[in-house]
Short mmCIF file of all heavy atoms in Angstrom, two decimals:
data_model
loop_
_atom_site.label_atom_id
_atom_site.label_comp_id
_atom_site.label_asym_id
_atom_site.label_seq_id
_atom_site.Cartn_x
_atom_site.Cartn_y
_atom_site.Cartn_z
N VAL M 184 -207.28 -53.99 121.02
CA VAL M 184 -207.33 -54.76 119.84
C VAL M 184 -208.68 -55.53 119.72
O VAL M 184 -209.36 -55.55 118.70
CB VAL M 184 -206.10 -55.72 119.82
CG1 VAL M 184 -206.27 -56.85 118.86
CG2 VAL M 184 -204.82 -54.95 119.54
N VAL M 185 -209.08 -56.10 120.80
CA VAL M 185 -210.31 -56.90 120.84
C VAL M 185 -211.51 -55.92 120.57
O VAL M 185 -212.40 -56.29 119.75
CB VAL M 185 -210.54 -57.61 122.22
CG1 VAL M 185 -211.96 -58.18 122.39
CG2 VAL M 185 -209.47 -58.68 122.45
N ASP M 186 -211.49 -54.72 121.13
CA ASP M 186 -212.60 -53.80 120.98
C ASP M 186 -212.60 -53.11 119.62
O ASP M 186 -213.64 -52.92 119.09
CB ASP M 186 -212.60 -52.76 122.09
CG ASP M 186 -212.99 -53.40 123.42
OD1 ASP M 186 -213.51 -54.53 123.42
OD2 ASP M 186 -212.77 -52.72 124.48
N ASP M 187 -211.40 -52.80 119.13
CA ASP M 187 -211.44 -52.19 117.76
C ASP M 187 -212.06 -53.20 116.78
O ASP M 187 -212.75 -52.81 115.82
CB ASP M 187 -210.02 -51.71 117.34
CG ASP M 187 -209.61 -50.40 117.98
OD1 ASP M 187 -210.53 -49.62 118.43
OD2 ASP M 187 -208.38 -50.11 118.09
N ALA M 188 -211.70 -54.48 116.94
CA ALA M 188 -212.29 -55.43 116.05
C ALA M 188 -213.79 -55.57 116.26
O ALA M 188 -214.61 -55.70 115.36
CB ALA M 188 -211.58 -56.79 116.23
N PHE M 189 -214.21 -55.65 117.55
CA PHE M 189 -215.59 -55.87 117.92
C PHE M 189 -216.46 -54.73 117.36
O PHE M 189 -217.54 -54.94 116.84
CB PHE M 189 -215.72 -55.93 119.44
CG PHE M 189 -217.15 -55.93 119.93
CD1 PHE M 189 -217.89 -57.10 119.83
CD2 PHE M 189 -217.70 -54.88 120.53
CE1 PHE M 189 -219.23 -57.11 120.23
CE2 PHE M 189 -219.12 -54.92 120.98
CZ PHE M 189 -219.79 -56.06 120.85
N GLN M 190 -215.89 -53.49 117.36
CA GLN M 190 -216.68 -52.34 116.89
C GLN M 190 -216.40 -52.07 115.41
O GLN M 190 -216.90 -51.14 114.85
CB GLN M 190 -216.27 -51.08 117.71
CG GLN M 190 -216.67 -51.18 119.15
CD GLN M 190 -216.59 -49.88 119.98
OE1 GLN M 190 -215.47 -49.39 120.13
NE2 GLN M 190 -217.72 -49.36 120.35
N ARG M 191 -215.68 -53.00 114.78
CA ARG M 191 -215.48 -52.95 113.28
C ARG M 191 -214.88 -51.64 112.90
O ARG M 191 -215.24 -50.98 111.94
CB ARG M 191 -216.67 -53.28 112.51
CG ARG M 191 -217.09 -54.77 112.72
CD ARG M 191 -218.38 -55.14 111.89
NE ARG M 191 -219.55 -54.55 112.66
CZ ARG M 191 -220.36 -53.69 112.19
NH1 ARG M 191 -220.18 -53.14 110.90
NH2 ARG M 191 -221.40 -53.20 112.88
N ILE M 192 -213.84 -51.21 113.73
CA ILE M 192 -213.20 -49.89 113.48
C ILE M 192 -212.28 -50.09 112.24
O ILE M 192 -211.49 -50.96 112.18
CB ILE M 192 -212.36 -49.48 114.71
CG1 ILE M 192 -213.27 -49.34 115.93
CG2 ILE M 192 -211.58 -48.18 114.42
CD1 ILE M 192 -214.36 -48.30 115.79
N THR M 193 -212.45 -49.15 111.32
CA THR M 193 -211.59 -49.19 110.08
C THR M 193 -210.43 -48.13 110.14
O THR M 193 -209.48 -48.24 109.50
CB THR M 193 -212.42 -48.85 108.83
OG1 THR M 193 -213.06 -47.56 108.98
CG2 THR M 193 -213.47 -49.94 108.63
N HIS M 194 -210.69 -47.08 110.95
CA HIS M 194 -209.78 -45.92 111.02
C HIS M 194 -209.54 -45.54 112.47
O HIS M 194 -210.57 -45.14 113.13
CB HIS M 194 -210.27 -44.72 110.20
CG HIS M 194 -210.27 -44.98 108.76
ND1 HIS M 194 -211.23 -45.78 108.08
CD2 HIS M 194 -209.50 -44.53 107.77
CE1 HIS M 194 -210.95 -45.84 106.80
NE2 HIS M 194 -209.94 -45.05 106.58
N VAL M 195 -208.33 -45.54 112.96
CA VAL M 195 -208.06 -45.11 114.32
C VAL M 195 -207.30 -43.74 114.16
O VAL M 195 -206.29 -43.66 113.49
CB VAL M 195 -207.15 -46.11 115.02
CG1 VAL M 195 -206.68 -45.49 116.37
CG2 VAL M 195 -207.92 -47.42 115.29
N ALA M 196 -207.93 -42.70 114.79
CA ALA M 196 -207.30 -41.43 114.87
C ALA M 196 -207.11 -41.08 116.34
O ALA M 196 -208.19 -41.05 117.04
CB ALA M 196 -208.06 -40.32 114.19
N ARG M 197 -205.92 -40.95 116.86
CA ARG M 197 -205.69 -40.79 118.29
C ARG M 197 -204.37 -40.04 118.52
O ARG M 197 -203.66 -39.79 117.56
CB ARG M 197 -205.66 -42.15 119.02
CG ARG M 197 -204.58 -43.06 118.49
CD ARG M 197 -204.63 -44.38 119.11
NE ARG M 197 -203.63 -45.34 118.56
CZ ARG M 197 -203.62 -46.63 118.74
NH1 ARG M 197 -204.51 -47.22 119.49
NH2 ARG M 197 -202.65 -47.39 118.26
N GLY M 198 -204.02 -39.85 119.75
CA GLY M 198 -202.81 -39.01 120.08
C GLY M 198 -201.53 -39.81 119.78
O GLY M 198 -201.50 -41.03 119.81
N ALA M 199 -200.52 -39.10 119.34
CA ALA M 199 -199.20 -39.68 118.96
C ALA M 199 -198.46 -40.27 120.12
O ALA M 199 -197.53 -40.99 119.94
CB ALA M 199 -198.36 -38.66 118.18
N ASP M 200 -199.00 -40.10 121.36
CA ASP M 200 -198.36 -40.69 122.54
C ASP M 200 -198.57 -42.28 122.34
O ASP M 200 -197.90 -43.04 122.97
CB ASP M 200 -198.93 -40.24 123.78
CG ASP M 200 -200.39 -40.31 123.88
OD1 ASP M 200 -201.11 -39.87 122.83
OD2 ASP M 200 -201.01 -40.73 124.91
N LEU M 201 -199.60 -42.68 121.54
CA LEU M 201 -199.80 -44.12 121.35
C LEU M 201 -199.14 -44.68 120.12
O LEU M 201 -199.30 -45.92 119.80
CB LEU M 201 -201.29 -44.38 121.32
CG LEU M 201 -201.96 -44.05 122.70
CD1 LEU M 201 -203.45 -43.89 122.55
CD2 LEU M 201 -201.60 -45.13 123.72
N LEU M 202 -198.38 -43.88 119.42
CA LEU M 202 -197.65 -44.34 118.22
C LEU M 202 -196.87 -45.62 118.49
O LEU M 202 -196.92 -46.56 117.70
CB LEU M 202 -196.76 -43.26 117.65
CG LEU M 202 -196.20 -43.40 116.31
CD1 LEU M 202 -197.22 -43.58 115.26
CD2 LEU M 202 -195.32 -42.24 115.97
N SER M 203 -196.08 -45.59 119.54
CA SER M 203 -195.21 -46.71 119.75
C SER M 203 -195.96 -47.98 120.29
O SER M 203 -195.37 -49.08 120.36
CB SER M 203 -194.06 -46.38 120.73
OG SER M 203 -194.57 -46.24 121.98
N SER M 204 -197.25 -47.84 120.63
CA SER M 204 -198.08 -49.02 120.97
C SER M 204 -198.62 -49.72 119.85
O SER M 204 -198.99 -50.89 119.93
CB SER M 204 -199.27 -48.54 121.84
OG SER M 204 -198.90 -48.10 123.10
N THR M 205 -198.71 -48.98 118.65
CA THR M 205 -199.38 -49.57 117.50
C THR M 205 -198.80 -50.81 117.03
O THR M 205 -199.56 -51.76 116.70
CB THR M 205 -199.51 -48.43 116.45
OG1 THR M 205 -200.06 -47.27 117.03
CG2 THR M 205 -200.38 -48.89 115.24
N PRO M 206 -197.44 -51.00 116.90
CA PRO M 206 -196.93 -52.26 116.42
C PRO M 206 -197.39 -53.41 117.31
O PRO M 206 -197.66 -54.56 116.85
CB PRO M 206 -195.43 -52.06 116.45
CG PRO M 206 -195.24 -50.62 116.15
CD PRO M 206 -196.37 -49.98 116.99
N ARG M 207 -197.44 -53.27 118.67
CA ARG M 207 -197.94 -54.34 119.53
C ARG M 207 -199.36 -54.69 119.19
O ARG M 207 -199.76 -55.83 119.19
CB ARG M 207 -197.90 -53.81 121.00
CG ARG M 207 -196.67 -54.23 121.77
CD ARG M 207 -196.57 -53.43 123.02
NE ARG M 207 -196.08 -52.11 122.82
CZ ARG M 207 -195.87 -51.23 123.64
NH1 ARG M 207 -196.07 -51.37 124.92
NH2 ARG M 207 -195.34 -49.99 123.35
N GLN M 208 -200.13 -53.65 118.81
CA GLN M 208 -201.57 -53.92 118.50
C GLN M 208 -201.67 -54.64 117.22
O GLN M 208 -202.52 -55.54 117.05
CB GLN M 208 -202.31 -52.59 118.53
CG GLN M 208 -202.31 -52.07 119.97
CD GLN M 208 -202.88 -50.60 120.14
OE1 GLN M 208 -203.56 -50.11 119.26
NE2 GLN M 208 -202.58 -50.05 121.25
N ILE M 209 -200.77 -54.26 116.28
CA ILE M 209 -200.86 -54.88 114.93
C ILE M 209 -200.41 -56.39 115.08
O ILE M 209 -200.98 -57.29 114.45
CB ILE M 209 -199.97 -54.12 113.92
CG1 ILE M 209 -200.55 -52.79 113.61
CG2 ILE M 209 -199.74 -54.95 112.58
CD1 ILE M 209 -199.71 -51.88 112.73
N TYR M 210 -199.38 -56.61 115.99
CA TYR M 210 -198.95 -57.99 116.22
C TYR M 210 -200.09 -58.82 116.76
O TYR M 210 -200.37 -59.93 116.29
CB TYR M 210 -197.80 -57.83 117.20
CG TYR M 210 -197.14 -59.16 117.55
CD1 TYR M 210 -196.57 -60.02 116.60
CD2 TYR M 210 -197.20 -59.66 118.87
CE1 TYR M 210 -195.97 -61.26 116.93
CE2 TYR M 210 -196.57 -60.87 119.23
CZ TYR M 210 -196.04 -61.69 118.25
OH TYR M 210 -195.44 -62.88 118.64
N LEU M 211 -200.84 -58.25 117.78
CA LEU M 211 -201.85 -58.97 118.32
C LEU M 211 -203.03 -59.26 117.31
O LEU M 211 -203.72 -60.33 117.34
CB LEU M 211 -202.49 -58.28 119.57
CG LEU M 211 -201.53 -58.27 120.82
CD1 LEU M 211 -202.26 -57.46 121.93
CD2 LEU M 211 -201.24 -59.62 121.30
N GLN M 212 -203.28 -58.25 116.47
CA GLN M 212 -204.33 -58.42 115.37
C GLN M 212 -203.95 -59.66 114.51
O GLN M 212 -204.76 -60.47 114.24
CB GLN M 212 -204.46 -57.18 114.58
CG GLN M 212 -205.11 -56.01 115.30
CD GLN M 212 -204.78 -54.65 114.78
OE1 GLN M 212 -203.97 -54.49 113.85
NE2 GLN M 212 -205.28 -53.65 115.45
N HIS M 213 -202.68 -59.69 114.14
CA HIS M 213 -202.20 -60.79 113.33
C HIS M 213 -202.40 -62.12 114.00
O HIS M 213 -202.93 -63.09 113.42
CB HIS M 213 -200.77 -60.70 112.94
CG HIS M 213 -200.42 -59.55 111.99
ND1 HIS M 213 -199.18 -59.14 111.68
CD2 HIS M 213 -201.22 -58.66 111.35
CE1 HIS M 213 -199.19 -58.15 110.86
NE2 HIS M 213 -200.46 -57.83 110.65
N LEU M 214 -202.01 -62.18 115.26
CA LEU M 214 -202.15 -63.53 116.02
C LEU M 214 -203.53 -63.91 116.21
O LEU M 214 -203.89 -65.07 116.24
CB LEU M 214 -201.43 -63.32 117.40
CG LEU M 214 -199.92 -63.10 117.43
CD1 LEU M 214 -199.45 -62.93 118.91
CD2 LEU M 214 -199.19 -64.22 116.79
N LEU M 215 -204.46 -62.91 116.40
CA LEU M 215 -205.83 -63.19 116.62
C LEU M 215 -206.69 -63.29 115.36
O LEU M 215 -207.92 -63.52 115.45
CB LEU M 215 -206.46 -62.15 117.58
CG LEU M 215 -205.87 -62.17 119.03
CD1 LEU M 215 -206.28 -60.95 119.79
CD2 LEU M 215 -206.28 -63.42 119.82
N GLY M 216 -206.03 -63.11 114.26
CA GLY M 216 -206.76 -63.19 112.95
C GLY M 216 -207.69 -62.03 112.72
O GLY M 216 -208.77 -62.20 112.11
N LEU M 217 -207.37 -60.82 113.27
CA LEU M 217 -208.20 -59.66 113.12
C LEU M 217 -207.61 -58.70 112.13
O LEU M 217 -206.40 -58.67 111.89
CB LEU M 217 -208.34 -58.97 114.51
CG LEU M 217 -208.76 -59.78 115.64
CD1 LEU M 217 -208.63 -59.07 116.97
CD2 LEU M 217 -210.21 -60.28 115.40
N SER M 218 -208.50 -57.90 111.46
CA SER M 218 -208.00 -56.98 110.51
C SER M 218 -207.35 -55.71 111.19
O SER M 218 -207.66 -55.41 112.34
CB SER M 218 -208.95 -56.63 109.42
OG SER M 218 -210.11 -56.17 110.07
N THR M 219 -206.44 -55.05 110.45
CA THR M 219 -205.73 -53.89 110.94
C THR M 219 -206.43 -52.65 110.41
O THR M 219 -206.44 -52.52 109.14
CB THR M 219 -204.25 -53.98 110.58
OG1 THR M 219 -203.68 -55.15 111.25
CG2 THR M 219 -203.44 -52.80 110.96
N PRO M 220 -206.78 -51.74 111.33
CA PRO M 220 -207.37 -50.44 110.80
C PRO M 220 -206.19 -49.58 110.23
O PRO M 220 -205.02 -49.92 110.41
CB PRO M 220 -207.93 -49.79 112.03
CG PRO M 220 -207.55 -50.58 113.20
CD PRO M 220 -206.83 -51.83 112.75
N THR M 221 -206.51 -48.49 109.64
CA THR M 221 -205.50 -47.47 109.24
C THR M 221 -205.37 -46.58 110.44
O THR M 221 -206.22 -46.45 111.26
CB THR M 221 -205.86 -46.65 108.03
OG1 THR M 221 -206.97 -45.85 108.35
CG2 THR M 221 -206.17 -47.53 106.83
N TYR M 222 -204.17 -46.04 110.56
CA TYR M 222 -203.84 -45.19 111.74
C TYR M 222 -203.46 -43.80 111.39
O TYR M 222 -202.70 -43.57 110.46
CB TYR M 222 -202.73 -45.86 112.55
CG TYR M 222 -203.09 -47.12 113.24
CD1 TYR M 222 -202.87 -48.38 112.63
CD2 TYR M 222 -203.76 -47.12 114.42
CE1 TYR M 222 -203.27 -49.57 113.27
CE2 TYR M 222 -204.19 -48.32 115.12
CZ TYR M 222 -203.90 -49.48 114.52
OH TYR M 222 -204.31 -50.64 115.13
N LEU M 223 -203.95 -42.86 112.17
CA LEU M 223 -203.64 -41.43 112.11
C LEU M 223 -203.33 -41.03 113.44
O LEU M 223 -204.16 -40.88 114.34
CB LEU M 223 -204.88 -40.68 111.51
CG LEU M 223 -204.90 -39.18 111.60
CD1 LEU M 223 -203.77 -38.52 110.81
CD2 LEU M 223 -206.23 -38.61 111.11
N HIS M 224 -202.04 -40.72 113.79
CA HIS M 224 -201.64 -40.29 115.09
C HIS M 224 -201.47 -38.73 115.13
O HIS M 224 -200.62 -38.20 114.45
CB HIS M 224 -200.40 -41.06 115.53
CG HIS M 224 -200.68 -42.43 115.98
ND1 HIS M 224 -200.61 -43.51 115.09
CD2 HIS M 224 -201.04 -42.97 117.13
CE1 HIS M 224 -200.95 -44.61 115.75
NE2 HIS M 224 -201.21 -44.27 116.97
N LEU M 225 -202.37 -38.12 115.88
CA LEU M 225 -202.42 -36.68 115.90
C LEU M 225 -201.37 -36.16 116.89
O LEU M 225 -200.98 -36.84 117.83
CB LEU M 225 -203.78 -36.26 116.50
CG LEU M 225 -204.96 -36.74 115.62
CD1 LEU M 225 -206.31 -36.74 116.40
CD2 LEU M 225 -205.10 -35.85 114.41
N PRO M 226 -200.89 -34.95 116.63
CA PRO M 226 -199.91 -34.34 117.58
C PRO M 226 -200.34 -34.37 119.04
O PRO M 226 -201.46 -34.14 119.26
CB PRO M 226 -199.68 -32.94 117.12
CG PRO M 226 -200.22 -32.94 115.63
CD PRO M 226 -201.22 -34.04 115.59
N VAL M 227 -199.39 -34.73 119.84
CA VAL M 227 -199.73 -34.65 121.31
C VAL M 227 -199.71 -33.23 121.78
O VAL M 227 -198.87 -32.46 121.33
CB VAL M 227 -198.66 -35.53 122.05
CG1 VAL M 227 -198.83 -35.37 123.58
CG2 VAL M 227 -198.70 -36.95 121.68
N VAL M 228 -200.58 -32.89 122.63
CA VAL M 228 -200.66 -31.53 123.18
C VAL M 228 -199.76 -31.51 124.41
O VAL M 228 -199.87 -32.25 125.28
CB VAL M 228 -202.09 -31.10 123.45
CG1 VAL M 228 -202.13 -29.69 123.94
CG2 VAL M 228 -202.88 -31.33 122.30
N THR M 229 -198.86 -30.59 124.34
CA THR M 229 -197.90 -30.49 125.54
C THR M 229 -198.06 -29.12 126.25
O THR M 229 -198.61 -28.18 125.64
CB THR M 229 -196.46 -30.63 125.08
OG1 THR M 229 -196.16 -29.60 124.11
CG2 THR M 229 -196.17 -31.94 124.50
N ASN M 230 -197.59 -29.04 127.50
CA ASN M 230 -197.59 -27.77 128.21
C ASN M 230 -196.25 -27.10 127.83
O ASN M 230 -195.45 -27.57 127.07
CB ASN M 230 -197.82 -28.00 129.66
CG ASN M 230 -196.69 -28.83 130.37
OD1 ASN M 230 -195.64 -28.99 129.75
ND2 ASN M 230 -196.98 -29.28 131.48
N THR M 231 -196.07 -25.91 128.44
CA THR M 231 -194.85 -25.09 128.09
C THR M 231 -193.57 -25.85 128.49
O THR M 231 -192.51 -25.49 128.02
CB THR M 231 -194.94 -23.78 128.77
OG1 THR M 231 -195.40 -23.92 130.05
CG2 THR M 231 -195.79 -22.79 127.97
N LEU M 232 -193.65 -26.90 129.33
CA LEU M 232 -192.48 -27.68 129.76
C LEU M 232 -192.27 -28.84 128.77
O LEU M 232 -191.32 -29.64 128.96
CB LEU M 232 -192.59 -28.22 131.18
CG LEU M 232 -192.75 -27.14 132.27
CD1 LEU M 232 -193.07 -27.77 133.53
CD2 LEU M 232 -191.53 -26.28 132.38
N GLY M 233 -193.08 -28.94 127.81
CA GLY M 233 -192.95 -30.06 126.81
C GLY M 233 -193.58 -31.40 127.36
O GLY M 233 -193.36 -32.38 126.78
N GLU M 234 -194.32 -31.29 128.48
CA GLU M 234 -194.92 -32.49 129.01
C GLU M 234 -196.27 -32.70 128.38
O GLU M 234 -197.03 -31.78 128.19
CB GLU M 234 -195.13 -32.37 130.53
CG GLU M 234 -193.85 -32.21 131.31
CD GLU M 234 -194.14 -31.69 132.72
OE1 GLU M 234 -195.17 -30.96 132.97
OE2 GLU M 234 -193.35 -32.00 133.61
N LYS M 235 -196.64 -34.01 128.12
CA LYS M 235 -197.98 -34.30 127.60
C LYS M 235 -199.00 -33.88 128.62
O LYS M 235 -198.89 -34.13 129.76
CB LYS M 235 -198.04 -35.76 127.31
CG LYS M 235 -199.37 -36.26 126.76
CD LYS M 235 -199.66 -37.75 126.90
CE LYS M 235 -201.15 -37.92 126.66
NZ LYS M 235 -201.60 -39.23 127.12
N LEU M 236 -200.06 -33.21 128.06
CA LEU M 236 -201.11 -32.79 129.02
C LEU M 236 -201.86 -34.07 129.53
O LEU M 236 -202.26 -34.90 128.79
CB LEU M 236 -202.13 -31.94 128.28
CG LEU M 236 -201.71 -30.52 127.98
CD1 LEU M 236 -202.89 -29.67 127.51
CD2 LEU M 236 -201.02 -29.79 129.13
N SER M 237 -202.00 -34.17 130.84
CA SER M 237 -202.74 -35.25 131.45
C SER M 237 -203.07 -34.78 132.90
O SER M 237 -202.67 -33.74 133.30
CB SER M 237 -201.78 -36.50 131.51
OG SER M 237 -200.77 -36.24 132.40
N LYS M 238 -203.81 -35.72 133.55
CA LYS M 238 -204.09 -35.33 134.91
C LYS M 238 -202.81 -35.13 135.76
O LYS M 238 -202.71 -34.27 136.60
CB LYS M 238 -204.97 -36.46 135.57
CG LYS M 238 -206.11 -35.84 136.37
CD LYS M 238 -207.05 -36.88 136.75
CE LYS M 238 -206.31 -37.84 137.81
NZ LYS M 238 -207.17 -38.81 138.34
N GLN M 239 -201.82 -36.02 135.44
CA GLN M 239 -200.50 -35.95 136.18
C GLN M 239 -199.86 -34.65 136.00
O GLN M 239 -199.15 -34.11 136.93
CB GLN M 239 -199.57 -37.07 135.75
CG GLN M 239 -199.91 -38.43 136.22
CD GLN M 239 -201.20 -39.00 135.46
OE1 GLN M 239 -201.40 -38.70 134.36
NE2 GLN M 239 -201.95 -39.86 136.16
N THR M 240 -199.95 -34.00 134.80
CA THR M 240 -199.28 -32.72 134.54
C THR M 240 -200.28 -31.58 134.82
O THR M 240 -200.07 -30.42 134.39
CB THR M 240 -198.71 -32.62 133.16
OG1 THR M 240 -199.77 -32.88 132.21
CG2 THR M 240 -197.66 -33.65 132.92
N LEU M 241 -201.30 -31.83 135.56
CA LEU M 241 -202.28 -30.91 136.04
C LEU M 241 -202.98 -30.14 134.92
O LEU M 241 -203.11 -28.88 134.97
CB LEU M 241 -201.66 -29.91 137.07
CG LEU M 241 -200.94 -30.59 138.21
CD1 LEU M 241 -200.27 -29.50 139.08
CD2 LEU M 241 -201.91 -31.40 139.06
N ALA M 242 -203.35 -30.84 133.86
CA ALA M 242 -204.01 -30.21 132.77
C ALA M 242 -205.37 -29.74 133.25
O ALA M 242 -206.08 -30.48 134.01
CB ALA M 242 -204.22 -31.23 131.63
N GLN M 243 -205.80 -28.48 132.85
CA GLN M 243 -207.11 -27.99 133.26
C GLN M 243 -208.14 -28.65 132.44
O GLN M 243 -208.04 -28.86 131.22
CB GLN M 243 -207.08 -26.47 132.94
CG GLN M 243 -206.17 -25.66 133.80
CD GLN M 243 -206.50 -25.78 135.30
OE1 GLN M 243 -207.70 -25.69 135.67
NE2 GLN M 243 -205.52 -26.12 136.09
N PRO M 244 -209.32 -28.95 133.12
CA PRO M 244 -210.43 -29.43 132.28
C PRO M 244 -210.90 -28.37 131.29
O PRO M 244 -210.71 -27.13 131.61
CB PRO M 244 -211.59 -29.60 133.36
CG PRO M 244 -210.95 -29.51 134.65
CD PRO M 244 -209.61 -28.83 134.56
N ILE M 245 -211.38 -28.75 130.15
CA ILE M 245 -211.86 -27.78 129.19
C ILE M 245 -213.04 -27.04 129.70
O ILE M 245 -213.85 -27.65 130.41
CB ILE M 245 -212.06 -28.29 127.73
CG1 ILE M 245 -213.08 -29.43 127.79
CG2 ILE M 245 -210.74 -28.73 127.13
CD1 ILE M 245 -213.51 -29.93 126.37
N ASN M 246 -213.16 -25.81 129.34
CA ASN M 246 -214.29 -25.03 129.84
C ASN M 246 -215.37 -24.90 128.73
O ASN M 246 -215.06 -24.37 127.68
CB ASN M 246 -213.71 -23.58 130.15
CG ASN M 246 -214.85 -22.66 130.64
OD1 ASN M 246 -215.97 -22.98 130.57
ND2 ASN M 246 -214.42 -21.50 131.15
N THR M 247 -216.49 -25.50 129.01
CA THR M 247 -217.55 -25.51 127.93
C THR M 247 -218.56 -24.40 128.01
O THR M 247 -219.60 -24.49 127.34
CB THR M 247 -218.30 -26.84 127.96
OG1 THR M 247 -218.75 -27.08 129.34
CG2 THR M 247 -217.33 -28.05 127.58
N ALA M 248 -218.25 -23.34 128.80
CA ALA M 248 -219.18 -22.26 128.88
C ALA M 248 -219.42 -21.61 127.58
O ALA M 248 -220.53 -21.15 127.24
CB ALA M 248 -218.64 -21.26 129.90
#
Side-chain angles (χ1 to χ4, degrees):
V184 162
V185 170
D186 289 345
D187 281 340
F189 174 73
Q190 296 191 293
R191 293 178 284 116
I192 299 301
T193 59
H194 291 73
V195 171
R197 62 184 176 191
D200 53 315
L201 293 163
L202 188 61
S203 72
S204 288
T205 307
R207 264 166 281 182
Q208 296 171 17
I209 293 175
Y210 180 63
L211 291 177
Q212 287 154 1
H213 290 172
L214 296 178
L215 294 167
L217 305 172
S218 51
T219 295
T221 65
Y222 290 96
L223 164 63
H224 284 89
L225 301 160
V227 173
V228 184
T229 56
N230 62 18
T231 40
L232 299 174
E234 299 164 331
K235 182 196 161 196
L236 288 190
S237 67
K238 222 173 66 178
Q239 286 73 28
T240 56
L241 306 178
Q243 292 299 311
I245 54 172
N246 178 352
T247 54

